[in-house]
Amino acid sequence: MGSFGIGAAVRRKEDLRFLTGKGTYTDDINRPGQLQAHLLRSPHAHAEIAGIDTARAMAAPGVAAIFTGADLQAPDLKVKVGGLPCGWLITSKDGSPMAEPMRPLLAQGKVRHVGDPVAVVVAETRAEAEAAAELIAVDYRELPAVVGADQAIKPGGPLLFDTAPGNLCFDWHLGDKTAVDAAFARAHHVTRLDLVNNRLVSNPMEPRAAIGEHDSATGDYTLYTTSQAPHVHRLLIAAFVLQLPEHKLRVVAPDVGGGFGTKGSLYNEQALVLWLAAKLGRPVKWTADRSEIFLTDNQARDHLTQAELALDADGKFLAMRVATLANLGAYLGSFAPAIPTWCYGTLLAGNYATPAIYVEVKGVFTNTAPVDAYRGAGRPEACYVVERLVDRAAREMKIDPVALRRRNFVANDAFPYTTPVALTYDSGDYFKTLDMALQAADYAGFEQRRQEAAARGKLRGIGIATYIEACAMAPSVMAGQLGARAGFYESAEVRVHPTGGITVFTGAHSHGQGHETTFAQLVSDRLGLAFDQVEIVHGDTGRIPFGMGTYASRSLAVGGTALVKAMDKIVNKGKKIAAHMLEAAEADIEFADGKFAVAGTDRAATFAQVAFSAYVPHNFPIETLEPGLDETAFYDPTNFTYPAGCYIAEIEIDRETGAVTLARFTGADDFGRIVNPMIVEGQVHGALVQGIGQALYETTIYDTNGQLVTGSFMDYCMPRADNFIPFTLETNTTLCAHNPLGAKGCGEAGTIGAPPAIMNAVLDALAPLGITALDMPATPERVLRALARQQPG
């Protein structure tokens, strides 16, 4: 449809309500007669709970009830409240199942990280609930804490769970160890690196929130909450926590102010407010403050890795060997075991034709906040390992880093290409994408810019990182191997109204991605309707067909394909109706630009006319077709999609302060077919900021007692707009081979490729001084310490 169809840079239609303050977020919702909940949280990282005295708190003004973990397991409860389930199961390399300790809604007998919920106070107002919580007396018997994965697995250390000896959740592996060992034995050169992938707090703009409501007459529950996957949360709460018939629970995720994967997991408070609402007979609301975000939202990354790359004399990759300790925190999040295993190990091939790869990952419990999915979810960690190795190998072997990458890329004629770590890449042109980035970055002119910076007393460096990611989670790899408790399909219902307007009900959830615009563009393009005739509905399990939600850059490739399949059904039925209306054979009916026409003639019926006939069947083949023109489709992908690209960073370092300044940043991405280039560019910008934030600014620090040192924006450095410069972005396009849109996904690329590009640039700037290693984030303090270590005396 011209300016509104696929490929058009249409402004986001949802932005009008957001910019005018008319969005509806969970905290904007208030139910009649609602109470407010506040959670008392542990000040200790590890302690036994010897007793809890709530008497003074219960007598405080406005308090309706106080509950502890013991109350959730009281003998008189008809149904015991279950713990939060882990949606993913990992098998260790010896074939044993992973440890899956219970994660109670409120601590039972023991707390395992600062912020662990101990009691919930429900009162008339939030202020009254908070005041009463301060009157609860908890008798803690503090235990030694452990915060680092390397310390947690040492024999004799503090143990979080009796069911997880040595604090080990799983010991997983992937690849051919024998082939890798043989390749290393014959290698001409081996590059070795010890890497730290720093822990992050995601900090979405909107804090988590939840409102629980219960209708005692019908037994129905409603949960309003900040969720990326309403149906998944409904399933987990109903089946595993509250043991409800699933149809008795409705989950509504209204406008959500940022998710980043963090809001894809199920949290204690979401199930707890439902239980409280039923227990007290009134709606119960809870909203986190920013301190709770830092303490209790799932955190991210936190890997300790030893990596090796074997090369022959010509710089061809022979094998890669990786061993990683993944810090899982105190409890398992909904997706936690998958992130450092199948979402990480399978991407260690990167863009390269490495013949053999072997990876071992140990998942470890520690007295810290749980670690789970965050933008990129395993792919950034893998890319960081690969691209840091490649750059180090190039420097050690005195090969240009661009030449070394080209020498080892998967060849264009090799697709579909099956890697040694389970994936099959369907399409790509890594050579062209690299060349586009090099040209846009003026890579050839860098040395002149380095010399100019040196004249100003600055150290200038350039860093390259190529990346690939697996998006749109697919069963071909996961099913049977991962032990997932949910599928990977997506749904779409297209409801055609009698006057020709369209309402789309999608299982994908929008929390910043612009689905209300891009999905409307798909409809406009396929059905030939005006853009403003299309409404997109999402986020309400009471209105939409079962869907898996939004994560892993899957919405367009999977949810969009489901929408296309539903529209195809509508067009096919429309042809039958049009054939009857136009007195022609169905085989002669063509559909294009919003019209059903008899091939080779001027006889035609508009989409609106066919829609009207479907509902007002005065001219309708009622003997062979049911009235109506609504269709539902589900799409279950046969493979991942594989966006890929190249990022080039240029930085300058001030010798006096150690400050790293971004001088240039250039990217070339291959996202397959792009529906809305404006939205794609915005997605890439946001992801780049988060990726560069990890490389230069952000890190989560716990002290040795498990206290969160970086518990606010006073200590946790969030990147700001003035830390950045305009990005130069190019787009290459190779179509996905297995979905009809040819789309691959774009939302996470920047978080994947930016960190190694930045760190390679920093180390390139420091290399003339003999500095070869530096961990993220490259803060002024760390850079200064590295510079000081190189000074004589």
Side-chain angles (χ1 to χ4, degrees):
M1 270 298 285
S3 60
F4 292 103
I6 292 175
V10 179
R11 290 188 176 184
R12 298 189 346 159
K13 62 165 60 179
E14 52 267 67
D15 285 348
L16 178 61
R17 72 172 186 273
F18 295 145
L19 295 173
T20 56
K22 295 179 181 178
T24 301
Y25 299 89
T26 300
D27 194 55
D28 294 325
I29 299 170
N30 292 291
R31 305 301 299 158
Q34 76 183 10
L35 296 163
Q36 296 279 346
H38 176 75
L39 277 80
L40 178 69
R41 300 185 182 276
S42 170
H44 303 291
H46 202 193
E48 293 177 350
I49 301 174
I52 304 176
D53 185 349
T54 62
R56 289 183 62 210
M58 274 300 305
V63 173
I66 299 174
F67 298 99
T68 67
D71 296 316
L72 270 62
Q73 295 295 307
D76 60 339
L77 286 181
K78 292 182 180 179
V79 177
K80 301 295 187 291
V81 179
L84 295 184
C86 176
W88 307 85
L89 303 177
I90 296 297
T91 300
S92 291
K93 59 189 176 186
D94 65 0
S96 62
M98 71 180 202
E100 191 182 0
M102 181 183 178
R103 183 180 181 180
L105 300 191
L106 296 172
Q108 296 177 8
K110 192 176 182 181
V111 293
R112 294 178 174 87
H113 71 97
V114 174
D116 213 353
V118 174
V120 60
V121 180
V122 187
E124 296 294 334
T125 69
R126 178 169 177 165
E128 288 172 332
E130 291 174 351
E134 295 181 2
L135 302 177
I136 298 175
V138 183
D139 182 6
Y140 292 106
R141 295 177 182 172
E142 197 168 355
L143 300 169
V146 60
V147 301
D150 53 342
Q151 299 299 312
I153 60 171
K154 288 184 176 179
L159 189 65
L160 273 74
F161 300 98
D162 293 338
T163 55
N167 294 316
L168 191 66
C169 178
F170 55 78
D171 184 359
W172 176 89
H173 72 158
L174 182 66
D176 188 336
K177 185 178 187 300
T178 301
V180 167
D181 289 346
F184 270 85
R186 67 175 186 273
H188 171 78
H189 179 83
V190 174
T191 289
R192 294 180 175 86
L193 274 179
D194 290 332
L195 297 169
V196 176
N197 207 290
N198 44 315
R199 181 183 279 232
L200 304 175
V201 177
S202 77
N203 273 309
M205 185 178 294
E206 179 201 21
R208 290 189 296 112
I211 304 169
E213 195 167 19
H214 178 248
D215 187 333
S216 59
T218 64
D220 291 337
Y221 291 78
T222 302
L223 172 66
Y224 301 90
T225 190
T226 48
S227 170
Q228 295 177 221
H231 273 107
V232 174
H233 287 169
R234 184 184 73 164
L235 172 64
L236 295 177
I237 291 171
F240 295 97
V241 186
L242 300 182
Q243 290 87 50
L244 304 172
E246 192 175 341
H247 69 281
K248 304 303 282 184
L249 173 59
R250 175 188 176 200
V251 176
V252 181
D255 292 324
V256 173
F260 309 133
T262 307
K263 291 175 183 170
S265 286
L266 180 65
Y267 290 88
N268 309 54
E269 299 86 1
Q270 292 167 311
L272 191 58
V273 294
L274 291 168
W275 185 84
L276 292 169
K279 188 78 173 175
L280 301 176
R282 293 171 64 181
V284 176
K285 181 176 185 177
W286 170 84
T287 302
D289 59 30
R290 188 58 57 176
S291 294
E292 286 179 295
I293 294 297
F294 275 96
L295 287 174
T296 67
D297 274 19
N298 291 335
Q299 297 175 2
R301 317 297 193 234
D302 205 347
H303 284 194
L304 301 175
T305 295
Q306 295 178 326
E308 299 175 285
L309 180 64
L311 305 93
D312 68 15
D314 295 323
K316 291 285 286 184
F317 299 168
L318 300 176
M320 183 184 296
R321 187 160 52 201
V322 177
T324 293
L325 288 179
N327 194 333
L328 301 175
Y331 299 102
L332 290 174
S334 299
F335 309 101
I339 307 306
T341 54
W342 291 103
C343 295
Y344 166 70
T346 55
L347 269 298
L348 288 171
N351 306 67
Y352 308 107
T354 307
I357 299 173
Y358 180 71
V359 54
E360 298 175 297
V361 180
K362 292 181 179 179
V364 183
F365 293 112
T366 65
N367 295 114
T368 61
V371 173
D372 207 334
Y374 170 66
R375 200 169 192 170
R379 285 74 61 90
E381 297 93 316
C383 184
Y384 192 66
V385 171
V386 174
E387 291 302 301
R388 286 292 306 278
L389 272 175
V390 172
D391 240 48
R392 171 68 74 86
R395 194 170 298 279
E396 291 176 349
M397 296 187 72
K398 296 181 172 54
I399 300 174
D400 180 80
V402 172
L404 186 62
R405 286 175 168 85
R406 282 201 182 105
R407 198 170 300 177
N408 289 283
F409 276 162
V410 175
N412 288 349
D413 61 1
F415 295 101
Y417 173 77
T418 300
T419 76
V421 277
L423 299 182
T424 299
Y425 303 164
D426 65 326
S427 66
D429 185 346
Y430 309 146
F431 300 90
K432 182 178 179 181
T433 306
L434 172 63
D435 288 340
M436 292 174 70
L438 292 171
Q439 182 175 352
D442 185 21
Y443 185 79
F446 170 72
E447 285 304 325
Q448 182 178 343
R449 295 191 294 275
R450 192 202 294 268
Q451 292 170 18
E452 185 274 332
R456 292 184 283 109
K458 307 288 187 180
L459 299 169
R460 191 164 181 128
I462 192 166
I464 300 174
T466 61
Y467 76 88
I468 189 167
E469 57 172 323
C471 295
M473 282 190 171
S476 59
V477 172
M478 298 295 190
Q481 296 175 328
L482 192 57
R485 288 176 174 160
F488 302 95
Y489 59 84
E490 199 45 80
S491 64
E493 177 190 347
V494 179
R495 187 173 298 173
V496 181
H497 303 296
T499 54
I502 298 285
T503 300
V504 173
F505 299 87
T506 174
H509 187 276
S510 181
H511 38 275
Q513 293 87 350
H515 293 168
E516 293 174 39
T517 302
T518 53
F519 282 18
Q521 287 180 258
L522 291 181
V523 175
S524 178
D525 193 272
R526 180 70 179 96
L527 300 183
L529 303 181
F531 183 68
D532 58 7
Q533 286 185 274
V534 184
E535 178 191 22
I536 309 299
V537 177
H538 60 90
D540 185 345
T541 64
R543 299 184 67 189
I544 59 178
F546 196 104
M548 301 311 298
T550 294
Y551 47 87
S553 299
R554 70 190 298 272
S555 295
L556 185 61
V558 185
T561 296
L563 175 54
V564 168
K565 287 167 67 70
M567 289 191 290
D568 287 345
K569 291 181 180 181
I570 286 170
V571 170
N572 289 338
K573 184 173 181 179
K575 286 182 177 180
K576 298 179 189 299
I577 300 171
H580 184 84
M581 295 172 63
L582 299 171
E583 298 180 340
E586 181 185 340
D588 292 334
I589 300 296
E590 299 174 339
F591 179 75
D593 299 326
K595 291 183 179 180
F596 295 90
V598 180
T601 76
D602 59 357
R603 287 185 295 153
T606 66
F607 184 88
Q609 289 172 324
V610 170
F612 187 79
S613 183
Y615 288 96
V616 185
H618 63 280
N619 189 11
F620 185 88
I622 199 163
E623 66 280 359
T624 58
L625 286 179
E626 293 180 352
L629 200 55
D630 297 348
E631 294 290 350
T632 300
F634 292 81
Y635 173 64
D636 199 7
T638 58
N639 193 1
F640 294 101
T641 63
Y642 298 99
C646 175
Y647 292 141
I648 301 176
E650 277 189 51
I651 59 90
E652 285 189 357
I653 297 175
D654 187 309
R655 290 174 179 263
E656 300 300 320
T657 65
V660 179
T661 303
L662 194 62
R664 291 186 173 204
F665 197 96
T666 307
D669 298 290
D670 178 2
F671 299 134
R673 177 168 284 119
I674 292 175
V675 171
N676 188 316
M678 184 187 301
I679 288 178
V680 166
E681 185 174 8
Q683 287 282 297
V684 175
H685 282 188
L688 286 175
V689 166
Q690 288 180 277
I692 296 168
Q694 177 177 13
L696 294 181
Y697 307 109
E698 299 181 53
T699 193
T700 308
I701 299 173
Y702 287 88
D703 70 15
T704 55
N705 296 315
Q707 294 293 328
L708 181 62
V709 176
T710 52
S712 76
F713 289 136
M714 295 297 290
D715 304 293
Y716 187 94
C717 184
M718 283 281 283
R720 307 184 313 180
D722 60 0
N723 295 128
F724 298 96
I725 56 173
F727 303 129
T728 300
L729 300 177
E730 301 287 339
T731 303
N732 183 25
T733 300
T734 64
L735 298 181
C736 174
H738 55 81
N739 71 56
L741 286 171
K744 295 184 177 182
C746 70
E748 298 166 291
T751 58
I752 297 169
I758 291 289
M759 292 307 295
N760 285 341
V762 170
L763 288 166
D764 181 62
L766 296 173
L769 303 180
I771 298 170
T772 60
L774 192 72
D775 290 326
M776 295 188 291
T779 60
E781 178 190 8
R782 286 187 175 178
V783 173
L784 275 179
R785 289 183 183 276
L787 290 170
R789 285 194 294 268
Q790 300 305 116
Q791 300 300 320

